[in-house]
Amino acid sequence: MRTDLHRHLDTPLAAVRNLGILAHVDAGKTTLTERILYLTGTTHKRGEVHDGTTVTDFDPQERDRGITIFAAAVSCSWDAHRINLIDTPGHVDFSDEVARSLRVLDGAVAVFDAVAGVEPQSEAVWRQADRYGVPRIAFVNKLDRAGADLDTAVESIRERLHPAPLVVQLPIGSEAGFTGVVDLPRMRSLVWPEGRDTVEEGPVPEALRDAAEGRRRQLEEAVAELHPGALEEFCAEGTLSARTLTAALRDLTRSGDGVVVLCGSAYRNRGIEPLLDAVVAYLPSPRDVPAVRGTWDGGEQERFADPAAPFAALVFKVNGTATGRLTYLRVYSGTIGKGETVWDSGTGRTERIGRILRVQADHHAPLERAVAGDIVAVVGLKSARAGSTLCAPGAPLVLEPPTVADPVVSVAVEAVGSAEAELLVSALTRLVEEDPSLVVRTDPETSQLVLSGMGELHLEVAVEKIRLAQGLDVRVGRPRVAYRETVVRGVSGLVHRHVKQDGGAGEFAHVVLDVEPLEDVPGDGDGDGDGGATRFAFRSTVVGGRVPQEYVRALEAGCRDALADGPLGGHPVTGVRVVLTDGATHPKDSSERAFRTAGRFALREALRACAMVLLEPVADVTVTVPDDAVGGVLGDLAARRGQVSGSVARAGVVVITATVPLVELFGYATRLRSRTRGRGVFTARPAGYAPAPSTAASGTVTR
């Protein structure tokens, strides 16, 4: 008897969709995922976030908190297509989890709240998808809510995300009276009667016919402006056929020139079937995306999604379970079977695939093999980490790993008993393996273990995971944020001479440096939280071979070493340009080691002579409060050194936007609830770095 798993294995690549669900927290991603699983027959009961019965939010912390924390993969079938689906987190603290998922996906559904429109994290994950070139369609959710407005939500997409929104549906009814949609490409109605899970198809309601024809005309004109083939038919015929319109929408989605917009209510099970049809019709299969590019031995290689090509896969997630270590990977080319060996091009180690599993959140089904286009988990790999490339031993390749943002918040952690100290170190090591955005180090001054991450909630979840999984009693110190130091006024012509002679071969390096600020230091302006990465530029103007090129490279490496701790408080230095203007060598005593040492000490000396300023991480904050609590909230933001950039009144509430130092946001959720009697909410996302007061150098929370 053939099972669904066998049919999954035999699914042609053209009928596979690797799909992510992206959105701001509470926009309805997980509920939408649950409805997709229910409608496709993968589950037989609708899971609810508020009941803690969802398939993808299976972790105890996710169910307790009511939010998605860890990306979860599931598979389902729709219209003879296999959909590999990843439900991603919506909270800004877990944006690295989203980035790792986007790196291996071919398409995505971006979910927006019909009342709030584009929210801060919606914009952040949209930019992440832009970075990885992931085509998207948009689903405006919660049309049954009071104040829901499709047109307003679409306009926010146009203004804040800047794609061309191509709305293919017209709602039937509004707010609590929302019952269905008009499908504009096919000019038909789709209605979901109350209390039923099936959709009823029919003609466009007479009362909506004029509005539907007008919207269809707007859609045709928007598509014709962007698509040459559609423009040709539109000019010749004065209209577009459903076939031409669908083909043009597919092309515009995959090129990124437009985004198809659908609408519905996931909670009330309305709009899910046409969304699945749109996923199949518009988003690409593994065969439709460009060949993945990698490097090896200094050259670039391409691997096409061909099961017969050499095997290549990228690890995007590692998870320790009670039954063993699961390594999640996307297969880009070739085929791999149970028991075969793969080569980890990062570590240079050969490892054996023990088992291959089809993932259904926390449930797994065994597979005999995985082919190009698959997203699976494997058991048996010991050294692979997120970002590792696995390939055939005879066809080495290195694929670009997902980017990892710099952590911005740190806490000290220690075991309560000395006997548990080693267990804590082991638990933290496993934690960092699973989540590369976490960093563990030992403070050289206090000898404490310091855990760093992307935010207060991120660290809280990580510590709680250790407590739950290992049963360890862990003490947590006061939060610290990651400060930086930068140059505001440089120095010119700094001379440093490194001479060492203590018997045997000596060391000699003579260098002259200019040190100056590097422009656009505080942040890169994209709001994705990577503004804290070290920014450094180095160049040499020395001519005539006075300093050989290999010594110049060693000098640059030494300068980079010096950036680890600045003169103000030992924080990393960023935003610096170093120019080597002159130098000298010794025929016997000069070496790469000597010039690296000279670079380190010369730049440290130069930084002490420069005018330096401390930088602190800041966040863009959006606070939604009742209109009778605005005054108190604005006063509290001012006390936290917040810079208010705007406020918008909306249906009895006021949405305030501000930029606030991250160190001032610790404990803000509790303060906001107190000031608004539990009715206020806020979101924050990293916005780079800004000059900090000199009293902030310690990096501790003073509030």
Side-chain angles (χ1 to χ4, degrees):
M1 178 178 177
R2 291 174 61 81
T3 65
D4 287 342
L5 289 176
H6 287 109
R7 285 194 292 272
H8 275 175
L9 281 171
D10 295 337
T11 304
L13 277 179
V16 173
R17 300 290 183 272
N18 291 316
L19 174 70
I21 307 292
L22 314 174
H24 185 89
V25 65
D26 287 337
K29 299 181 311 302
T30 301
T31 301
L32 175 61
T33 303
E34 291 298 320
R35 298 305 184 262
I36 289 174
L37 295 178
Y38 178 71
L39 282 173
T40 57
T42 308
T43 59
H44 303 290
K45 183 180 179 181
R46 290 181 291 185
E48 303 293 352
V49 173
H50 55 271
D51 292 335
T53 57
T54 58
V55 172
T56 53
D57 284 356
F58 56 85
D59 187 271
Q61 290 201 72
E62 292 179 310
R63 292 185 170 178
D64 289 345
R65 298 174 188 272
I67 61 170
T68 300
I69 297 173
F70 310 106
V74 291
S75 293
C76 58
S77 297
W78 180 259
D79 192 23
H81 288 68
R82 185 174 84 244
I83 300 175
N84 297 320
L85 182 66
I86 297 181
D87 179 23
T88 66
H91 195 286
V92 65
D93 281 14
F94 308 102
S95 57
D96 244 46
E97 189 92 358
V98 181
R100 290 193 293 275
S101 300
L102 282 170
R103 174 63 181 84
V104 300
L105 293 173
D106 301 323
V109 173
V111 183
F112 301 95
D113 187 314
V115 177
V118 176
E119 297 173 273
Q121 188 61 7
S122 309
E123 189 170 355
V125 296
W126 190 274
R127 302 301 175 213
Q128 287 178 310
D130 283 341
R131 177 181 302 164
Y132 291 108
V134 178
R136 280 138 283 168
I137 57 179
F139 182 71
V140 179
N141 192 26
K142 302 187 179 183
L143 271 186
D144 57 324
R145 283 185 60 193
D149 189 306
L150 175 62
D151 291 340
T152 302
V154 169
E155 192 56 34
S156 72
I157 293 173
R158 188 192 312 276
E159 290 179 356
R160 298 188 62 177
L161 306 181
H162 309 298
L166 305 171
V167 184
V168 297
Q169 292 177 340
L170 174 67
I172 299 176
S174 61
E175 300 183 352
F178 170 69
T179 59
V181 297
V182 174
D183 176 9
L184 297 177
R186 293 173 177 79
M187 290 300 286
R188 58 177 181 168
S189 70
L190 301 172
V191 176
W192 290 266
E194 189 68 40
R196 294 174 58 184
D197 293 330
T198 55
V199 60
E200 294 182 357
E201 182 178 339
V204 178
E206 195 61 38
L208 290 176
R209 177 160 294 279
D210 289 345
E213 289 176 350
R215 292 295 181 101
R216 164 68 186 241
R217 185 69 178 182
Q218 292 175 13
L219 176 63
E220 291 177 349
E221 291 173 351
V223 169
E225 285 183 7
L226 300 169
H227 193 280
L231 178 61
E232 184 177 344
E233 179 174 316
F234 188 76
C235 292
E237 306 293 336
T239 188
L240 295 178
S241 65
R243 181 176 180 179
T244 299
L245 187 55
T246 299
L249 290 170
R250 180 190 307 116
D251 292 343
L252 294 173
T253 298
R254 296 178 182 180
S255 68
D257 294 325
V259 55
V260 171
V261 181
L262 301 97
C263 60
S265 169
Y267 180 70
R268 298 179 71 177
N269 214 36
R270 294 174 181 172
I272 314 303
E273 294 94 329
L275 175 62
L276 286 167
D277 290 339
V279 165
V280 168
Y282 305 132
L283 292 179
S285 73
R287 282 202 182 280
D288 299 321
V289 298
V292 66
R293 294 188 175 187
T295 58
W296 185 252
D297 200 20
E300 188 174 274
Q301 299 183 23
E302 288 187 343
R303 295 284 173 86
F304 291 91
D306 181 359
F311 174 74
L314 184 70
V315 176
F316 68 95
K317 185 178 175 70
V318 175
N319 188 26
T321 67
T323 57
R325 186 175 187 267
L326 289 180
T327 304
Y328 294 76
L329 51 90
R330 160 70 188 268
V331 182
Y332 281 101
S333 67
T335 303
I336 190 70
K338 182 174 66 173
E340 295 183 17
T341 58
V342 296
W343 192 65
D344 185 333
S345 57
T347 63
R349 294 181 56 177
T350 299
E351 298 200 69
R352 181 177 176 274
I353 302 289
R355 290 186 294 155
I356 303 175
L357 304 173
R358 177 77 63 198
V359 181
Q360 290 295 112
D362 58 339
H363 294 84
H364 312 100
L367 297 173
E368 290 299 317
R369 68 184 189 275
V371 301
D374 267 334
I375 292 178
V376 295
V378 299
V379 178
L381 303 185
K382 297 178 181 178
S383 62
R385 302 287 185 267
S388 296
T389 300
L390 304 179
C391 53
L397 183 74
V398 177
L399 300 174
E400 181 185 357
T403 57
V404 179
D406 284 350
V408 294
V409 180
S410 301
V411 292
V413 292
E414 61 180 19
V416 172
S418 58
E420 297 180 324
E422 288 189 13
L423 293 176
L424 177 60
V425 172
S426 177
L428 288 171
T429 301
R430 286 195 296 271
L431 201 64
V432 172
E433 284 183 8
E434 296 180 12
D435 186 352
S437 60
L438 291 170
V439 175
V440 176
R441 62 179 176 86
T442 301
D443 190 303
E445 295 181 4
T446 65
S447 298
Q448 287 181 303
L449 285 172
V450 177
L451 179 64
S452 303
M454 301 307 298
E456 194 175 7
L457 180 60
H458 188 203
L459 296 181
E460 185 181 320
V461 167
V463 172
E464 189 64 20
K465 189 173 183 179
I466 292 176
R467 287 172 173 154
L468 292 173
Q470 307 297 326
L472 294 176
D473 193 1
V474 182
R475 279 197 293 255
V476 179
R478 300 177 73 186
R480 298 171 63 94
V481 299
Y483 288 88
R484 296 287 187 267
E485 299 176 24
T486 192
V487 174
V488 292
R489 187 176 67 253
V491 295
S492 299
L494 183 134
V495 179
H496 182 82
R497 188 179 180 88
H498 173 65
V499 180
K500 182 179 180 182
Q501 193 72 50
D502 53 4
E507 293 185 11
F508 178 87
H510 176 87
V511 297
V512 182
L513 303 179
D514 289 349
V515 179
E516 58 193 28
L518 189 62
E519 294 180 357
D520 301 325
V521 175
D524 55 9
D526 62 3
D528 60 7
D530 61 359
T534 299
R535 293 167 180 249
F536 174 71
F538 181 93
R539 64 188 177 93
S540 172
T541 60
V542 178
V543 296
R546 289 176 57 81
V547 181
Q549 192 60 39
E550 61 269 23
Y551 292 170
V552 173
R553 288 194 294 267
L555 179 71
E556 179 181 354
C559 290
R560 290 185 182 276
D561 294 341
L563 299 176
D565 51 351
L568 294 182
H571 308 290
V573 179
T574 186
V576 179
R577 177 182 285 108
V578 176
V579 182
L580 174 64
T581 59
D582 199 2
T585 63
H586 186 278
K588 291 185 178 180
D589 293 345
S590 289
S591 63
E592 291 184 24
R593 176 179 174 178
F595 271 84
R596 181 163 188 160
T597 302
R600 182 168 64 253
F601 286 108
L603 185 53
R604 285 179 179 173
E605 182 182 343
L607 291 176
R608 287 193 293 270
C610 291
M612 304 287 292
V613 68
L614 190 70
L615 300 174
E616 64 179 342
V618 296
D620 286 337
V621 177
T622 302
V623 190
T624 303
V625 297
D627 49 17
D628 59 358
V630 172
V633 170
L634 288 174
D636 190 40
L637 287 173
R640 294 172 184 269
R641 298 188 285 127
Q643 300 292 321
V644 176
S645 56
S647 63
V648 177
R650 183 190 297 160
V653 299
V654 176
V655 179
I656 303 167
T657 53
T659 301
V660 184
L662 187 62
V663 71
E664 300 287 353
L665 288 176
F666 292 114
Y668 183 58
T670 302
R671 180 68 66 90
L672 180 64
R673 284 194 294 268
S674 174
R675 286 186 174 276
T676 61
R677 298 178 182 176
R679 296 176 294 166
V681 295
F682 87 101
T683 59
R685 63 187 181 102
Y689 278 69
S694 58
T695 54
S698 64
T700 57
V701 181
T702 57
R703 183 165 300 279

